[in-house]
């Protein structure tokens, strides 16, 4: 399957994408995680992305689209993928359509995670991620690690993301409403959108998602 996950910062895209990708045996491709990996490796791409991310803005399309395309062209994504955080505006959605069309491929669904803004703020405030891999995500209350400050998956150090400060989160939410929400209408016109509530325990949201995708 080829699935796009969309939802505001802190909705649980990364958390759900990891579980859904495992259930569906497809790779989880997160442009945010790819940027963070580049930043921690000190690459040129990471240096370009960091100032935009720290300010809560989108990284320019030419950089983002190229990186996402490279990742989608890798062998493990040939049979399908779950995109988390890409596309994030209409030009990126159009670029993805062009990429898929060139390979005679199509998206199967766009899963839209709906969540009240107060919950997003609480989720982001308590989030801790792993220095080794930002796809290893915890929450101080909702999903505490077994050992304080230590990743359950790989033993890495847990820390708070640089863009999770209150001011930057506000900016990210504003950018979401302005730039990302319009892609939901874009995909509605292609009849691809399934909307679910992202509130409630993680496993309940996963069950809702699997059912909405018709794979439970
Ligand atoms: P990105 O990394 O994609 O961040 P985001 O969209 O802001 O979303 P988050 O990762 O903050 O939240 P999430 O929905 O994944 O929630 P999570 O599962 O962690 O992007 C970061 C930046 O990179 C952007 O601002 C931009 O600068 C740049 N960027 C990325 N893609 C780009 C693109 N395509 N174009 C341009 N720029 C781009 O969950 C949050 C917390 O809640 C966790 O602690 C988790 O444990 C907890 N939680 C999750 N689910 C539940 C639940 N059901 N109940 C209780 N707690 C829960
Ligand atoms: Mg995420």
């Amino acid at each position: 399957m080829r699935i796009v996950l969309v939802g505001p910062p802190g909705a649980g895209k990364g958390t759900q994408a990891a579980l859904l990708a495992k259930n569906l045996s497809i790779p989880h491709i997160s442009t945010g995680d790819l940027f963070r990996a580049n930043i921690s490796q000190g690459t040129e791409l990471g240096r370009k992305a960091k100032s935009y991310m720290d300010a809560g803005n989108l990284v320019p399309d030419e950089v983002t689209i190229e990186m996402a395309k490279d990742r989608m062209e890798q062998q493990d994504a040939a049979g399908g993928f779950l995109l988390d955080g890409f596309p994030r505006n209409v030009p990126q959605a159009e670029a993805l359509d062009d990429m898929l069309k060139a390979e005679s491929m199509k998206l199967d669904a766009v899963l839209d995670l709906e969540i009240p803004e107060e919950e997003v703020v609480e989720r982001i405030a308590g989030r801790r991620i792993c220095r080794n891999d930002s796809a290893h995500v915890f929450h101080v209350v909702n999903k505490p690690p077994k050992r304080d400050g230590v990743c359950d998956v790989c033993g890495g150090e847990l820390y708070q993301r640089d863009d999770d400060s209150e001011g930057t989160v506000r900016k990210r939410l504003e950018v979401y409403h302005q730039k990302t929400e319009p892609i939901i209408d874009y995909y509605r016109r292609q009849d691809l959108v399934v909307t679910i509530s992202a509130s409630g325990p993680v496993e309940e949201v996963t069950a809702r998602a699997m059912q909405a995708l018709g794979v439970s």
Side-chain angles (χ1 to χ4, degrees):
M1 287 185 93
R2 292 182 183 83
I3 302 166
V4 168
L5 256 184
V6 63
K13 297 182 297 296
T15 302
Q16 293 304 326
L19 296 165
L20 293 170
K22 198 169 165 211
N23 287 352
L24 299 169
S25 304
I26 49 177
H28 165 202
I29 300 180
S30 156
T31 40
D33 288 342
L34 291 170
F35 284 133
R36 281 183 288 276
N38 274 278
I39 291 171
S40 60
Q41 288 154 19
T43 68
E44 180 60 32
L45 176 63
R47 269 193 294 278
K48 270 189 203 158
K50 190 169 180 0
S51 58
Y52 296 97
M53 292 174 77
D54 285 350
N57 285 317
L58 297 185
V59 179
D61 287 345
E62 57 274 20
V63 177
T64 306
I65 291 168
E66 170 103 359
M67 178 185 74
K69 186 167 186 281
D70 276 357
R71 179 61 189 90
M72 281 185 271
E73 282 171 355
Q74 285 172 27
Q75 193 48 44
D76 65 335
F81 47 70
L82 203 165
L83 297 178
D84 158 11
F86 181 86
R88 228 180 174 94
N89 58 22
V90 172
Q92 291 182 14
E94 288 169 344
L96 175 61
D97 272 352
D98 290 345
M99 266 180 244
L100 292 171
K101 221 175 277 165
E103 303 291 328
S104 308
M105 291 171 181
K106 281 197 317 189
L107 288 175
D108 293 288
V110 174
L111 184 65
D112 165 33
L113 300 182
E114 236 179 25
I115 184 149
E117 210 136 300
E118 319 81 80
E119 266 182 74
V120 154
V121 171
E122 186 273 327
R123 285 186 184 182
I124 289 183
R127 171 167 53 195
R128 298 293 179 273
I129 63 164
C130 176
R131 286 249 178 245
N132 295 340
D133 186 341
S134 69
H136 302 163
V137 181
F138 298 85
H139 189 282
V140 290
V141 177
N142 304 334
K143 194 191 170 195
K146 291 195 187 81
R147 273 178 59 205
D148 227 20
V150 180
C151 176
D152 288 355
V153 185
C154 68
E157 182 203 353
L158 298 181
Y159 76 108
Q160 192 159 25
R161 253 169 61 175
D162 295 343
D163 60 346
D164 277 354
S165 65
E166 202 189 320
T168 310
V169 169
R170 221 175 297 123
K171 177 68 185 170
R172 282 159 59 202
L173 279 164
E174 189 188 308
V175 168
Y176 177 75
H177 294 309
Q178 249 182 29
K179 306 257 172 73
T180 308
E181 264 178 355
I183 73 169
I184 300 174
D185 270 339
Y186 174 90
Y187 284 127
R188 273 206 187 103
R189 289 194 285 277
Q190 298 183 25
D191 207 17
L192 286 171
V193 180
V194 278
T195 301
I196 62 162
S197 161
S199 294
V202 171
E203 54 285 6
E204 281 181 22
V205 180
T206 311
R208 239 174 260 151
M210 297 285 284
Q211 193 174 25
L213 294 170
V215 290
S216 57

